[in-house]
Amino acid sequence: MTENEQLLARVAAKARNTRPWGWASLPEPVDEATSARAEAALGFSLPPLLAELYLRIGDGGFGPEYGLLPLLDSPPSGEPAAVAQYLANREGGQKDPDWPWPEGVLPISHWGCAMYACVDCRSRQATVLLFEPNPGDVDQAWFIDAPSLTDWLHAWVEGTGWYEEANEGLELAPWTDFPIRTARRPTTPRTTPVRAS
């Protein structure tokens, strides 16, 4: 069994036994056709591990806090699906250039208070980012949650994420690629995000 297979098995076991807020049950996984439609709508491929989560474990409804967003269709909790959220964020960034949304950065989980965990689908390791807009400055709203989706999933399964009570006060590094990816001038970054509610 490969390392990814072992991780997927651990995620699946935890997904079966825990339920994020707003989810009564674990949704069925998506099929290949739904995954292909999602990628066509996005205009880019999902990182392989992210695609496997949706294809093998469930269409959202597992993971930290409010759990993963469904991929293409709206969930029972009323949150927009990941694809719809991404497209709305990109459109919003075009209408309001002060709040651009980077191409290829897919929101995958809502933390509450307008905060999202996002996967950088353009990075080779599928870096997981935290979008935390509450201070009101887009240049200080992006942090590296985990260097890879693999690391992010390990943190959830093992209970070691920044969002765990035991890790209160843990500082996340700013995502320094934000100005490059959105053609903005860099500003002095903030280092500590506001805790999710």
Side-chain angles (χ1 to χ4, degrees):
M1 187 181 280
T2 68
E3 192 174 318
N4 263 4
E5 289 292 328
Q6 291 174 353
L7 177 58
L8 285 167
R10 292 179 69 202
V11 169
K14 187 163 183 173
R16 283 189 300 271
N17 296 310
T18 60
R19 201 60 45 241
W21 181 87
W23 293 89
S25 62
L26 180 65
E28 290 295 317
V30 301
D31 57 22
E32 294 280 352
T34 300
S35 182
R37 282 191 358 249
E39 290 180 340
L42 291 168
F44 53 85
S45 297
L46 296 175
L49 181 56
L50 183 60
E52 288 298 309
L53 292 173
Y54 284 110
L55 288 165
R56 293 173 52 180
I57 297 175
D59 189 16
F62 64 94
E65 294 299 314
Y66 296 119
L68 258 65
L69 299 170
L71 185 57
L72 197 55
D73 300 312
S74 292
S77 63
E79 273 292 316
V83 171
Q85 189 67 50
Y86 172 77
L87 296 174
N89 290 347
R90 290 287 291 164
E91 184 180 325
Q94 291 169 354
K95 291 178 181 174
D96 182 359
D98 288 337
W99 282 89
W101 190 269
E103 190 275 325
V105 175
L106 180 67
I108 61 164
S109 183
H110 190 213
W111 290 111
C113 299
M115 297 167 56
Y116 283 89
C118 307
V119 172
D120 182 0
C121 297
R122 287 180 53 185
S123 71
R124 195 177 58 205
Q125 67 276 21
T127 302
V128 179
L129 305 169
L130 171 66
F131 175 65
E132 205 289 76
N134 293 298
D137 183 347
V138 71
D139 292 313
Q140 297 183 19
W142 290 93
F143 300 89
I144 298 174
D145 188 326
S148 69
L149 181 57
T150 300
D151 293 327
W152 191 77
L153 291 168
H154 275 291
W156 175 60
V157 169
E158 296 160 10
T160 59
W162 62 266
Y163 44 85
E164 298 290 343
E165 203 170 307
N167 293 327
E168 192 169 329
L170 183 68
E171 292 185 0
L172 299 180
W175 183 45
T176 56
D177 282 355
F178 174 73
I180 297 163
R181 296 276 292 276
T182 57
R184 291 182 62 84
R185 293 188 138 160
T187 62
T188 305
R190 178 169 66 100
T191 57
T192 307
V194 175
R195 199 164 165 75
S197 52

